Amino acid sequence: METLRRSVFRPCIDLHDGQVKQIVGGTLSDTSPESLKTNFVASQSPGDFARLYRENNLEGGHVIKLGPRNDAAAREALQAWLGHLQIGGGINDQNAQEWINAGASKVIVTSYLFPDAKFSLERLKKVSSAVGKDKLVVDVSCRRRGDKWLVAMNKWQDITDMEVSEESLQMLSDYCSEFLIHAADVEGLCQGIDEELVEKLGQWVRIPTTYAGGAKDIGDLDLVQRLSGGCVDLTYGSALDIFGGELVKFDRLVERSRQ
């Protein structure tokens, strides 16, 4: 009898201005930086978080560079657990291999695929060729528009012409080995996950997929398991005690993830 895959916890290190932070996803803006809402700024270094994940054997985590001045911090995190953390933020066909060489297990790409907010298959093929399908994660982070989800790029500020659907995910999966999906509308709010999106992803995805956005309770891992049939993993951010949250204990989450 086939064993049902279980949804597990995937850790993250979000970098902003060289520091580990937890921010409200929809408030990042190049044009009005004063609108940024920050939930947490860590006193620990990016390397400290990477070592914590290493000590607890939490595979498949991602380091996201939110804007400029994050390269040194990102390299520090990657060096602390060589070959086990993914890197995203400003990745393109020219620098992707450089980040693999710096210690990333995979590179995560979004905005590069959408020049002028329009999807470019040519660019997807280029970056996939540059590092290999097995080293590429496509971030299809999205915002809800009516009854659809549209891919959002440029720190989730700009809506693209791509709808997140079975068809689009199938096409993308020909060139990558994993998906990362931030539900930007609920990211950082600790008010619950987008259950409908998680359920759809469970029906649509054929490759490993991590969902991030709104997780607020250790039971959300079981909820994602149920909704997605174990096809989708879950990232916790602002709700976690290691990020200043009071809703979810990191140690308990690790324990649950190992069961």
Side-chain angles (χ1 to χ4, degrees):
M1 191 175 110
E2 189 181 352
T3 308
L4 184 70
R5 187 190 177 280
R6 284 188 71 79
S7 297
V8 297
F9 163 52
R10 299 285 185 210
C12 67
I13 300 174
D14 292 347
L15 300 172
H16 184 260
D17 276 338
Q19 292 177 287
V20 179
K21 296 184 184 180
Q22 282 292 309
I23 60 175
V24 178
T27 67
L28 271 167
S29 171
D30 289 334
T31 50
S32 52
E34 70 282 355
S35 68
L36 180 72
K37 288 200 179 82
T38 303
N39 287 337
F40 173 77
V41 181
S43 55
Q44 306 98 312
S45 72
D48 289 336
F49 283 96
R51 282 183 284 275
L52 177 67
Y53 301 157
R54 184 185 69 199
E55 286 158 12
N56 288 279
N57 200 30
L58 293 168
E59 295 284 358
H62 53 271
V63 179
I64 303 292
K65 299 184 290 153
L66 296 166
R69 299 178 296 280
N70 289 309
D71 283 5
R75 288 176 190 279
E76 180 194 320
L78 296 179
Q79 288 294 313
W81 199 13
L82 282 170
H84 291 269
L85 292 167
Q86 303 168 3
I87 182 83
I91 303 295
N92 57 44
D93 64 318
Q94 298 298 307
N95 63 19
Q97 186 59 49
E98 186 185 316
W99 283 104
I100 297 294
N101 296 345
S105 58
K106 299 185 182 189
V107 290
I108 305 165
V109 67
T110 313
S111 298
Y112 167 74
L113 301 180
F114 295 91
D116 301 318
K118 292 180 173 57
F119 174 68
S120 166
L121 180 58
E122 182 189 359
R123 285 194 172 195
L124 176 59
K125 288 178 176 176
K126 261 189 187 173
V127 70
S128 185
S129 296
V131 290
K133 174 181 175 175
D134 62 318
K135 298 282 188 191
L136 185 65
V137 180
V138 173
D139 183 336
V140 279
S141 294
C142 56
R143 286 181 175 275
R144 196 165 188 149
R145 291 294 181 265
D147 61 350
K148 297 177 179 175
W149 293 270
L150 298 177
V151 176
M153 57 173 266
N154 189 22
K155 300 190 287 292
W156 311 313
Q157 297 168 89
D158 302 327
I159 301 296
T160 71
D161 64 347
M162 178 178 278
E163 182 184 343
V164 180
S165 66
E166 185 166 20
E167 184 183 27
S168 63
L169 294 174
Q170 190 64 48
M171 179 272 296
L172 292 169
S173 67
D174 287 340
Y175 302 96
C176 67
S177 57
E178 201 166 322
F179 291 127
L180 173 62
I181 300 176
H182 291 87
D185 297 315
V186 297
E187 174 81 12
L189 297 179
C190 299
Q191 291 174 6
I193 63 169
D194 185 334
E195 295 187 26
E196 197 179 339
L197 176 58
V198 170
E199 188 169 19
K200 292 287 189 193
L201 292 172
Q203 297 165 15
W204 293 342
V205 298
R206 301 287 178 270
I207 58 176
T209 298
T210 297
Y211 166 93
K216 63 176 173 53
D217 186 274
I218 196 160
D220 284 339
L221 201 48
D222 293 320
L223 179 59
V224 168
Q225 161 81 28
R226 182 170 58 76
L227 291 170
S228 74
C231 293
V232 175
D233 292 329
L234 181 62
T235 290
Y236 284 76
S238 297
L240 261 183
D241 57 355
I242 62 169
F243 296 129
E246 298 177 348
L247 299 173
V248 182
K249 296 274 186 281
F250 176 78
D251 291 343
R252 280 198 62 209
L253 194 52
V254 170
E255 197 180 305
R256 156 61 185 83
S257 215
R258 282 181 180 146
Q259 285 169 3

